Amino acid sequence: ADPHSFRALDYHNADYDAMNQALSEVNWEELWGQCEGDLNAFLELMRLTVLQITMINSPLKDDKTVTIARKRRANRNLYVMKRKRRKLNARIRALEVNNPNSGRLQELRDEVSLLCYSIPRTLR
């Protein structure tokens, strides 16, 4: 999308009071006079004036590709943590069958507990 268009702006975070103030200060009759009665020229000048005021008082939207990449990265981290938890749980089950008195069992359980705590925090 064109960064110099109405579509590139984030209207949820726009300063509407400042926009209204700036629009009320525009001398529309003077602009009409500069266009020498050409309606199409005046409409284009009006559009550009409103666009300029809107761009001054509105931030640009977040780039969707950046937002999507951020979400993918978060999903990848979540997947890695869940995979690690699955593998640790499999190791715990194997140790419980083969060596139930192993000292490593509690370490693995602690690690799984930490992962269980971290996974929901990643979803936020």
Side-chain angles (χ1 to χ4, degrees):
D2 181 13
H4 303 293
S5 70
F6 287 104
R7 290 181 181 217
L9 302 173
D10 180 6
Y11 293 102
H12 294 288
N13 297 312
D15 185 357
Y16 287 102
D17 293 332
M19 270 194 270
N20 285 332
Q21 180 66 33
L23 287 169
S24 68
E25 293 172 357
V26 173
N27 187 343
W28 297 106
E29 285 86 18
E30 183 182 328
L31 291 179
W32 173 250
Q34 289 178 1
C35 293
E36 301 172 352
D38 182 2
L39 180 61
N40 288 329
F42 175 70
L43 290 175
E44 180 62 17
L45 184 58
M46 187 170 114
R47 184 189 73 80
L48 291 173
T49 304
V50 172
L51 176 61
Q52 184 178 23
I53 290 170
T54 307
M55 289 183 76
I56 290 170
N57 296 292
S58 303
L60 291 174
K61 286 181 184 174
D62 282 340
D63 186 8
K64 288 183 181 179
T65 57
V66 172
T67 306
I68 290 170
R70 196 177 310 135
K71 285 181 182 177
R72 269 195 207 127
R73 197 171 318 122
N75 287 343
R76 186 179 328 126
N77 291 340
L78 180 65
Y79 177 74
V80 166
M81 284 192 282
K82 286 183 174 182
R83 183 179 62 212
K84 187 172 184 178
R85 183 181 63 182
R86 254 192 330 269
K87 287 183 175 189
L88 287 172
N89 280 328
R91 286 177 63 188
I92 289 170
R93 285 191 302 274
L95 268 177
E96 286 172 342
V97 169
N98 297 332
N99 190 1
N101 299 325
S102 173
R104 182 91 173 107
L105 265 174
Q106 190 56 44
E107 291 174 30
L108 292 173
R109 287 187 181 124
D110 291 344
E111 202 171 336
V112 168
S113 295
L114 286 173
L115 280 172
C116 289
Y117 175 74
S118 298
I119 288 172
R121 292 177 59 93
T122 304
L123 293 173
R124 291 184 206 156

